[in-house]
């Protein structure tokens, strides 16, 4: 066998390629080799930070972030004599279901045992993994028993479910307004479809099924609702339920409905849109009288702790907090307290403690409900957070508590 | 209801026509599919927002400022990035994608995630026979769009600049032999296209909301239109814009939103397969 | 060393090295294994997708609809295996997904392969965009806006102690199988014909060859292989929805070729490794990800149009020119 210069070159090249490709794959294992001494508890913030739902994502992430800082500043939590600090790791899921699964996989890979996420559409595909890896999850999701049930032990709902918003408060509001012809015009996503199901069920229970004259689903990034509004306004409704719109979508929907001569009322029971953009885009006159849930008027905050939270959020981010920011803040505080009380990192022990733990948080007493609760059919498990639920109405561009 | 659908179709058609005009021109002159069209639309809307709501200029003054500033921005992009690569079609296409991603990403950083609104100075409601209503702002945006389109026709068809642009489009080398600076003419064409996109942003954003991705949906519509109309064919794109306006209006009202969306792209595929030169093409 | 065998040996050696990564990392840094596996899986699948597009590019077909074919593969697998349980073997589900992608590619390809350049790009893009309203509008069989969940892992993956390792090896086999197929085709008569079609299809017609047949063939084959990858991704992600693979997925696949360089087969591989690695690192970055993407595209288009593969040559050229100048200066 003759060894030529060329073949030596070939061998060197080959070895180089082998080393390079192995190195590239292994590089993540090499980074961050030296670990700090403080033990870390990681919570994955699996939220949209870009795209149409980014404002929800930031709001949720900031709420949890503030809570993480609060616990850490107080010295972290002690489990069996050892101090643990919380660490929040972010992953941008762009409000795309598969990206959220990818994010969860990344988070698990990075050692996260806890997670906060939002949106029924992006949470649903994560459920098999959450159950398999026992990730204790606090999630801002609407829907009802299809998320919160005895099979999903590790998934806790931070916002009031559609069974609390639409089925209870919603029906009360419809009765009070004397709605005769109701139209549901909501987002074409999991949240919208699940709201529709709950609404139809609640109407049936209350023997009001005949008031629903039309239901339409439109993509969440729709700009021009005129064609679809023309379609539903032909049925002469006196009330439009928006369900799950963020601020811009709801504002455009209302504005264009008014432009088409619609005189009736609006509710948006599960979206909790930001009031500022809603009024600016929709126009003060058009959005007058819109009824929404979960929004606290800044001048009618119930407790001092909540006022402090509001002020701190404003100071840091130069805007009012959104509903899911304080809901996830409170849920995280509850979760952290439960971990400390359980004196264990075993997810099963933690969730067992969580279900019975009551703490005092921003809005007063915070606890989990769902088991044996006639209002929450089919839940069968204490995985639904509950706290006072404000009903607000827009008056002169400002939210006030609706009586 | 029929009357209302027809009115909505006409309004949407006029808006689509304006949004597509810049895209058509840039393809027509440079044979480049401009994927950054949506961000120039967004920048125009943002510029109008900052000029009116933050600085406090009157709306039409702000629009005029857009017309003054955006040719410079367009020419700068053409000189900086697109000039050297326009002879390779794929490089040109991907470079516009790069500009799109870069500008939208920066837009989110700079302008924030909160949605904004620009208000149109003319408000009110016009009642039409047949039970249809037309908001005054939509009427005016539609009329201004038609006026701008007439201006574009005049500019391309009747002025010295238009003759240069058409010459360059037909044969850049022959145009150079006739004493036209083809590079400069293309820069002017690109600047014109960018200005039209920004102007569309400033006008159309008054009807909807403004955020750094607000150009994506209009751009998608504009793409459907320029393909239907035949790439680069101005008259074709005007007709295609109204066709799409009526599809969206009648399809959305009679069959639901997704059906209208599907029909738009279905038409595009059929046109591309059977008549790639578009509805007005002479192939 | 036989030069004909050298590429195969290189590939085999790289594959063996990559196959050794899991035990090695589990030994050195066990807590980093999942993250490494996740990134490795993404990279290896993307290498496959990038190579499929490269093969089509040789025939002058630049498809902006590859995300659509991944979607078709993934949905077919999901519908048959998870939603209606029509097929009990997941591997057959992958095959069905690939066949579905190939059949649709055959119908579409037959109609559109005569289109060139931007027209081909636009029609494939429109096709991928059209899938979205179809998938969201029908609860049966597509699952509406929710999509399909609970897609199982293929049989045999349980041989490994945890699923990360299994998917890693599956992706490794997929990546290298695609490499092998594309390699063999590029070197075959069909490969040479498609390459000459990409350069000048009129001349190929004059040679008495039926251009359309070869173009359709390459298009269908590329989509078939992409469809298998779609099925694997569906299993790996366990859930798919209409928004899972978007315009940006298709764009990424083009970018692998752009960043790596389209001239040689190494191009899409290098591009896929760099871009998907980068993508995973930028996950927390939100909008900065878009900025970085934009800058990368503009950089490669304007300064390094031959892609990363051409970097050594470009550097050498610059270097030698400089030394020559120095020589002149010295002389």
């Amino acid at each position: 066998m003759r060894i030529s210069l060329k073949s030596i070159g070939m061998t060197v090249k080959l070895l180089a390629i082998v080393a390079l490709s192995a190195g590239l794959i292994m590089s993540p294992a090499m980074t961050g080799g030296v670990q700090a001494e403080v033990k870390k508890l990681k919570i994955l913030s699996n939220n949209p930070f870009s795209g149409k739902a980014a404002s929800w994502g930031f709001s949720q992430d900031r709420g949890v972030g503030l809570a993480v800082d609060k616990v850490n500043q107080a010295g972290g939590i002690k489990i069996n004599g050892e101090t643990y600090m919380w660490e929040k790791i972010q992953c941008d899921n762009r409000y795309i279901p598969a990206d959220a699964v990818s994010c969860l996989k990344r988070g698990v890979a990075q050692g996260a045992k806890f997670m906060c996420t939002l949106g029924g559409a992006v949470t649903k595909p994560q459920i098999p993994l959450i159950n398999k890896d026992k990730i204790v999850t606090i999630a801002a999701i609407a829907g009802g028993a299809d998320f919160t049930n005895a099979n999903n032990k590790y998934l806790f709902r931070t916002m009031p479910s559609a069974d609390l918003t639409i089925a209870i408060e919603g029906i009360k509001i419809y009765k009070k307004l004397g709605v005769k012809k109701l139209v549901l015009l909501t987002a074409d996503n999991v949240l919208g479809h699940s709201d529709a199901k709950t609404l139809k069920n609640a109407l049936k229970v209350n023997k009001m099924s005949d008031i629903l004259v039309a239901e339409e689903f439109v993509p969440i990034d729709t700009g021009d609702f005129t064609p679809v509004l023309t379609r539903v306004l032909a049925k002469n409704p006196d009330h439009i339920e928006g369900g799950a719109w963020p601020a811009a979508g709801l504002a455009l929907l209302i504005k264009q409905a008014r432009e088409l001569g619609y005189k009736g009322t609006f509710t948006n029971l599960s979206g909790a849109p930001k009031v500022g953009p809603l009024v600016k885009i929709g126009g003060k006159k058009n959005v007058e009288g819109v009824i929404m849930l979960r929004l606290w008027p800044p001048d009618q905050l119930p407790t001092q702790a909540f006022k402090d939270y509001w002020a701190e959020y404003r100071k840091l981010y130069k805007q009012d907090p959104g509903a899911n920011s304080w809901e996830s803040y409170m849920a995280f505080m509850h979760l952290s307290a439960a971990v400390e009380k359980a004196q264990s990192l075993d997810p099963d022990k933690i969730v067992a403690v969580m279900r019975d733990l009551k703490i005092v948080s921003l809005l007063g007493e915070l606890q989990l409900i769902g088991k044996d609760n006639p209002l929450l059919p089919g839940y069968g498990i204490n995985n639904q957070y509950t706290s006072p639920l404000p009903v607000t109405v827009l008056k002169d561009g400002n939210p006030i508590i609706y009586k | 209801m029929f009357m209302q659908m027809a009115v909505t179709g006409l309004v949407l058609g006029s808006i689509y026509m304006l949004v597509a005009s810049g895209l058509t021109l840039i393809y027509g002159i440079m044979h480049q599919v401009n994927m950054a069209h949506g961000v120039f639309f967004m920048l125009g809307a943002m510029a109008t927002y900052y000029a009116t709501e933050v600085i406090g200029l009157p709306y039409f003054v702000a629009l005029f400022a857009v017309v003054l500033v955006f040719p410079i921005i367009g020419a700068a992009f053409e000189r900086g990035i697109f000039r050297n690569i326009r002879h390779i079609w794929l490089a040109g296409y991907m470079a516009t994608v790069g500009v799109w991603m870069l500008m939208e990403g920066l837009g989110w950083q700079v302008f924030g995630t909160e949605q904004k609104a620009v208000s149109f100075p003319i408000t009110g409601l016009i009642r039409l026979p047949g039970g249809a209503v037309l908001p005054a702002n939509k009427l005016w945006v539609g009329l201004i769009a038609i006026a701008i389109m007439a201006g574009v026709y005049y500019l391309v068809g009747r002025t010295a600049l238009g003759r240069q642009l058409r010459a360059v489009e037909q044969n850049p080398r022959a145009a150079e032999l006739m004493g036209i600076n083809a590079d400069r003419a293309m820069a002017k064409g690109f600047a014109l296209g960018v200005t039209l996109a920004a102007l569309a942003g400033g006008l159309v954003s008054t009807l909807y909301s403004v955020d750094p991705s607000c150009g994506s949906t209009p751009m998608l519509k504009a793409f459907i239109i320029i393909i239907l109309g035949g790439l680069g064919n101005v008259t074709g794109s005007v007709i295609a814009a109204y066709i799409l306006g009526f599809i969206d209006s009648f399809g959305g009202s009679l069959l639901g939103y997704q059906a209208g969306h599907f029909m738009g792209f279905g038409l595009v595929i059929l046109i591309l397969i059977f008549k790639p030169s578009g509805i007005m093409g002479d192939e | 060393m036989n030069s004909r065998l050298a590429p195969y040996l290189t590939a085999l050696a790289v594959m063996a090295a990559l196959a050794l990564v899991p035990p090695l990392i589990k030994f050195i840094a066990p807590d980093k294994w999942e993250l490494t596996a996740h990134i490795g899986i993404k990279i290896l699948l993307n290498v496959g997708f990038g190579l499929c597009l490269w093969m089509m590019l040789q025939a002058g077909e630049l498809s902006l609809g590859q995300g659509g074919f991944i979607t078709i593969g993934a949905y077919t697998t999901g519908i048959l295996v998870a939603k209606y349980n029509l097929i009990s073997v997941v591997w057959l589900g992958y095959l069905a997904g690939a066949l579905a992608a190939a059949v649709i590619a055959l119908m579409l390809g037959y109609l559109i392969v005569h289109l060139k350049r931007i027209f081909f790009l636009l029609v494939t893009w429109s096709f991928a965009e059209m899938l979205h309203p179809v998938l969201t509008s029908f609860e049966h069989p597509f699952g509406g806006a929710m999509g399909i969940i609970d897609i199982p892992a293929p049989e045999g993956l349980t041989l490994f102690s945890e699923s990360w390792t299994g998917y890693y090896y599956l992706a490794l086999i997929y990546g290298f199988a695609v490499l092998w197929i594309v390699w063999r085709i590029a070197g075959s008569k069909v490969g040479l014909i498609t390459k000459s079609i990409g350069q000048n299809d009129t001349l190929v017609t004059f040679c008495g060859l039926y251009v359309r047949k070869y173009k359709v063939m390459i298009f269908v084959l590329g989509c078939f292989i992409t469809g298998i990858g779609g099925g694997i991704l569906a299993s790996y992600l366990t859930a798919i929805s209409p928004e899972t693979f978007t315009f940006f997925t298709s764009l990424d696949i083009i970018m692998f070729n752009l960043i790596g360089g389209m001239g040689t087969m190494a191009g899409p591989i290098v591009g896929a490794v760099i871009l998907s690695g980068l993508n995973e690192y930028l996950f927390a970055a939100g909008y900065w990800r878009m900025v970085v993407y934009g800058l990368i595209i503009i950089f490669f288009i304007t300064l390094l149009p031959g892609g990363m593969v051409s970097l050594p040559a470009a550097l050498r050229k610059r270097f030698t020119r400089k030394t020559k100048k120095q020589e002149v200066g010295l002389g």
Side-chain angles (χ1 to χ4, degrees):
Chain A
M1 195 168 119
R2 216 161 55 91
I3 297 174
S4 70
L5 246 153
K6 200 179 164 193
S7 76
I8 293 176
M10 201 59 148
T11 317
V12 171
K13 238 186 212 169
L14 195 144
L15 284 174
I17 292 173
V18 170
L20 196 73
S21 49
L24 272 171
I25 298 272
M26 283 172 62
S27 57
M30 300 302 159
T31 50
V34 184
Q35 291 286 328
E37 282 307 304
V38 182
K39 295 219 168 176
K40 287 262 162 84
L41 281 179
K42 289 182 183 169
I43 178 159
L44 170 68
S45 171
N46 185 349
N47 288 309
F49 301 116
S50 56
K52 288 279 174 194
S55 57
W56 282 343
F58 280 113
S59 174
Q60 167 116 342
D61 183 72
R62 287 165 181 172
V64 172
L66 284 172
V68 163
D69 290 346
K70 189 118 186 161
V71 175
N72 284 349
Q73 274 161 19
I77 53 176
K78 290 197 175 50
I79 302 169
N80 296 328
E82 280 191 280
T83 305
Y84 287 82
M85 289 290 179
W86 283 101
E87 184 190 350
K88 186 187 69 179
I89 43 182
Q90 285 184 332
C91 187
D92 177 18
N93 64 30
R94 297 186 283 179
Y95 211 61
I96 296 172
D99 275 24
V101 175
S102 201
C103 273
L104 175 54
K105 290 205 163 208
R106 265 190 75 83
V108 172
Q110 284 174 283
K113 299 265 185 279
F114 306 89
M115 174 168 71
C116 71
T117 189
L118 73 88
V122 302
T123 307
K124 189 124 193 175
Q126 298 185 62
I127 288 178
L129 283 169
I130 291 173
N131 289 336
K132 191 173 130 266
D133 292 330
K134 300 188 179 176
I135 306 294
V136 182
T137 303
I138 49 176
I141 39 177
D146 43 348
F147 285 102
T148 307
N149 56 47
N151 293 326
N152 302 335
K153 280 188 285 187
Y154 309 98
L155 180 67
F156 295 85
R157 189 201 307 269
T158 58
M159 64 181 258
S161 71
D163 293 303
L164 294 168
T165 54
I166 292 178
I168 297 172
E169 297 294 337
I171 297 292
K172 266 193 227 161
I173 294 167
Y174 298 157
K175 279 182 179 160
K176 194 159 175 184
L177 291 171
V179 176
K180 298 209 172 48
K181 283 185 174 177
L182 172 68
V183 160
L184 175 69
L185 205 171
T186 190
D188 191 8
N189 56 21
V190 176
L191 182 56
H193 285 276
S194 136
D195 280 354
K197 217 167 79 189
T198 312
L199 175 65
K200 277 187 273 188
N201 230 340
L203 290 175
K204 206 174 185 183
V205 169
N206 288 281
K207 301 197 171 53
M208 295 162 72
S209 288
D210 51 323
I211 68 165
L212 185 67
V213 292
E215 52 169 346
E216 289 289 337
F217 303 95
V218 193
I220 195 156
D221 54 359
T222 303
D224 206 308
F225 292 86
T226 321
V228 76
L229 277 169
T230 309
R231 182 180 165 91
V232 297
L233 293 187
K235 305 222 161 88
N236 289 320
D238 57 358
H239 186 82
I240 295 179
E241 168 61 59
W245 292 108
L250 181 65
L252 291 173
L253 168 63
I254 294 173
K255 185 177 157 195
Q256 288 161 13
R258 294 280 187 236
E259 283 171 357
L260 285 173
Y262 173 69
K263 293 270 186 299
T265 44
F266 287 97
T267 45
N268 192 60
L269 296 179
S270 47
K274 290 220 169 135
V275 175
L278 177 66
V279 175
K280 253 187 273 162
I281 298 168
K284 204 190 262 183
K285 223 175 85 199
N286 292 335
V287 300
E288 179 81 11
V290 176
I291 298 170
M292 292 168 294
L293 292 179
R294 294 165 65 209
L295 287 173
W296 285 98
D299 49 355
Q300 287 172 284
L301 303 178
T303 67
Q304 187 56 41
F306 197 26
K307 281 178 194 157
D308 293 343
Y309 173 82
W310 199 282
E312 192 179 349
Y313 193 101
R314 271 211 70 92
K315 202 179 88 194
L316 281 172
Y317 303 115
K318 313 274 177 283
Q319 50 176 282
D320 286 338
N324 62 352
S325 87
W326 65 73
E327 283 161 2
S328 55
Y329 176 94
M330 296 189 297
F332 180 83
M333 285 308 209
H334 181 262
L335 166 69
S336 182
V339 175
E340 194 159 27
K341 194 169 175 227
Q343 285 294 305
S344 161
L345 290 178
D346 178 7
D348 291 305
K349 282 188 187 149
I350 293 172
V351 294
V353 171
M354 278 173 88
R355 294 211 180 89
D356 300 322
L357 183 68
K358 282 184 195 175
I359 65 162
V360 175
S361 192
L362 301 180
L363 294 169
E365 196 164 75
L366 181 73
Q367 60 172 320
L368 286 156
I369 56 167
K371 198 175 185 182
D372 307 326
N373 192 325
L375 297 178
L376 303 173
Y379 284 35
I381 192 165
N382 277 347
N383 277 25
Q384 164 75 53
Y385 280 103
T386 177
S387 54
L389 181 63
V391 185
T392 33
V393 58
L394 285 185
K395 188 135 203 177
D396 231 8
N398 292 311
I400 55 166
I401 297 283
Y402 180 69
K403 304 262 165 14
Chain B
M1 191 165 153
F2 176 81
M3 200 50 196
Q4 185 65 54
M5 287 188 282
V7 169
T8 308
L10 277 175
V11 170
L12 285 178
S14 306
I15 293 171
Y16 292 165
M17 174 182 77
L18 179 63
V19 175
S21 60
L23 204 60
T24 311
L25 263 183
I26 289 179
Y27 189 88
I29 295 159
M30 303 176 75
H31 292 279
Q32 181 166 320
V33 173
N34 181 19
M35 295 296 284
H37 189 71
V39 290
F40 290 122
F41 176 97
M42 177 273 284
L43 288 176
M46 280 291 176
T48 316
Y49 168 79
Y50 278 97
T52 54
E53 310 288 319
V54 180
I55 302 175
L57 292 176
Y59 176 74
F60 287 104
V61 177
L63 268 194
F64 189 66
V66 165
V67 176
L68 288 184
V69 172
F70 274 80
I72 303 168
I73 297 178
F77 270 102
E78 199 275 344
R79 185 71 198 88
I81 299 175
F82 301 120
R83 179 170 295 183
N84 303 325
I85 50 173
R86 64 163 183 253
H87 52 279
I88 316 167
W89 74 273
L90 178 59
Y93 175 85
M94 288 304 286
T96 56
V97 173
V99 170
W100 164 24
M101 306 268 255
L102 174 66
M103 300 304 281
E104 191 180 323
L106 284 178
W108 287 107
Q109 304 295 341
V110 175
F111 306 128
T113 52
E114 193 146 298
Q115 264 115 355
K116 300 165 176 65
V118 184
S119 47
F120 196 74
I122 305 163
T123 54
L125 220 55
I126 298 157
R127 297 199 177 279
L128 299 165
V133 281
L134 176 61
N137 55 355
K138 282 193 172 170
L139 174 71
W140 279 100
V141 169
L143 289 178
I144 295 172
I146 293 169
I148 291 173
M149 215 53 216
V152 170
Y153 264 99
Y154 176 78
L155 197 70
V156 175
R158 292 271 181 272
T159 61
L161 174 66
R163 272 193 292 280
Q164 282 183 18
L165 294 179
R166 278 180 291 142
V168 169
E169 185 244 324
Q170 282 164 10
N171 190 333
R173 195 169 294 169
E176 292 224 308
L177 288 175
M178 298 297 121
I180 296 168
N181 186 338
D183 277 348
R184 193 173 282 178
M186 284 196 184
K188 282 177 190 162
F190 193 82
L192 182 60
V194 166
T195 311
L196 282 172
L199 203 53
L203 269 170
V204 174
S205 63
T206 58
L207 306 177
Y208 309 120
S209 63
V210 183
D211 69 34
S213 69
C214 68
S216 321
T217 314
M219 183 169 78
L220 210 64
K221 298 285 178 199
F223 269 111
I224 297 177
I225 289 160
I226 69 162
I227 298 170
L228 287 185
L231 289 174
N233 187 327
V234 180
T235 311
S237 80
V238 169
I239 295 170
Y242 282 100
I243 292 179
L244 190 69
F246 281 110
I247 287 182
D248 278 4
S249 173
F250 281 83
S253 293
L254 298 173
L255 304 168
Y257 181 92
Q258 298 283 24
H261 193 65
F262 180 77
M263 280 158 64
F265 278 105
L267 209 55
V268 162
I269 291 196
L270 291 181
I271 283 281
L272 277 176
I273 291 171
F274 297 109
K275 203 158 180 298
S277 56
I279 43 175
M280 288 293 289
D282 36 42
E283 189 188 19
Chain C
M1 204 185 279
N2 192 324
S3 66
R4 222 170 66 83
L5 273 178
Y8 291 97
L9 287 176
T10 317
L12 265 180
V14 173
M15 196 174 166
L18 290 177
L20 284 177
V21 165
L24 208 63
I25 291 198
K26 278 188 207 165
F27 181 70
I28 312 172
D31 56 324
K32 299 275 182 175
W33 162 237
E34 283 92 351
L35 184 59
T36 312
H38 178 73
I39 296 174
I41 291 163
K42 282 276 175 83
I43 289 179
L44 287 163
L45 288 174
N46 281 340
V47 164
F49 298 143
L51 281 168
C52 287
L53 186 75
W54 181 83
M55 186 170 70
M56 297 181 194
L57 269 173
Q58 298 303 302
E61 300 165 340
L62 184 70
S63 160
L64 190 55
Q66 289 313 94
F69 288 102
I70 297 177
T71 307
I72 293 170
Y75 259 87
T76 312
T77 307
I79 288 168
L80 293 177
V81 174
K83 190 154 185 202
Y84 297 112
N85 291 317
L86 293 174
I87 297 179
S88 53
V89 185
V90 181
W91 297 105
L92 288 179
Y94 295 166
L95 185 65
L99 281 175
V103 167
I104 291 172
L106 180 67
M107 294 194 287
L108 186 69
Y110 182 76
L111 290 169
I112 66 167
V113 284
H114 65 282
L115 297 172
K116 283 181 193 149
R117 296 177 165 192
I118 199 73
F119 291 98
F120 190 88
L121 184 119
L122 288 175
V123 78
T124 45
W125 166 73
S126 313
F127 166 75
E129 288 291 320
M130 261 175 71
L131 289 178
H132 187 267
V134 174
L135 296 177
T136 45
S137 302
F138 296 100
E139 194 70 34
H140 291 280
F142 304 120
M146 182 67 253
I148 294 163
I149 57 165
D150 280 335
I151 301 165
E155 297 77 14
L157 223 67
T158 41
L159 284 177
F160 301 96
S161 52
E162 27 82 49
S163 63
W164 298 102
T165 318
Y167 278 116
Y168 179 82
Y169 284 119
L170 183 58
L172 186 67
I173 291 167
Y174 176 77
F176 277 83
V178 177
L179 179 66
W180 185 72
I181 294 170
V182 173
W183 189 311
R184 286 307 299 258
I185 286 175
S188 71
K189 191 179 142 205
V190 176
L192 290 176
I193 292 169
T194 48
K195 199 172 177 187
S196 35
I197 291 172
Q199 283 162 359
N200 191 332
D201 54 352
T202 322
L203 275 181
V204 177
T205 313
F206 285 157
C207 293
L209 290 165
Y210 190 34
V211 168
R212 197 177 171 123
K213 183 181 95 181
Y214 290 99
K215 287 186 103 169
V216 172
M217 211 156 85
I218 288 295
F219 187 63
V220 170
L221 183 68
C223 293
F224 179 84
I225 302 173
T226 306
I228 299 179
I232 298 176
L233 261 177
S235 274
Y236 177 64
L237 293 174
T238 69
I240 42 169
S241 70
E243 283 99 13
T244 306
F245 308 110
T246 54
F247 165 75
F248 292 101
T249 317
S250 310
L251 192 67
D252 271 1
I253 297 173
I254 292 186
M255 275 177 66
F256 300 151
N257 283 278
L258 184 80
I259 288 177
M262 298 176 191
T264 65
M265 262 180 81
I269 302 177
V270 174
V273 171
I274 293 176
L275 198 70
S276 27
L278 190 75
N279 207 358
E280 292 298 318
Y281 278 106
L282 287 175
F283 238 121
Y287 295 115
W288 287 117
R289 178 159 56 168
M290 288 189 92
V291 176
V292 173
Y293 257 56
L295 285 176
I296 288 179
I297 299 180
I298 295 170
F299 170 81
F300 276 97
I301 289 285
T302 51
L303 297 177
L304 201 62
M308 279 306 273
V309 176
S310 72
L311 186 64
L315 284 178
R316 206 179 302 140
K317 200 171 153 196
R318 173 153 286 189
F319 185 67
T320 45
R321 197 187 294 154
K322 264 185 194 158
T323 45
K324 260 185 199 159
K325 266 183 200 160
Q326 274 171 0
E327 277 167 13
V328 172
L330 284 170

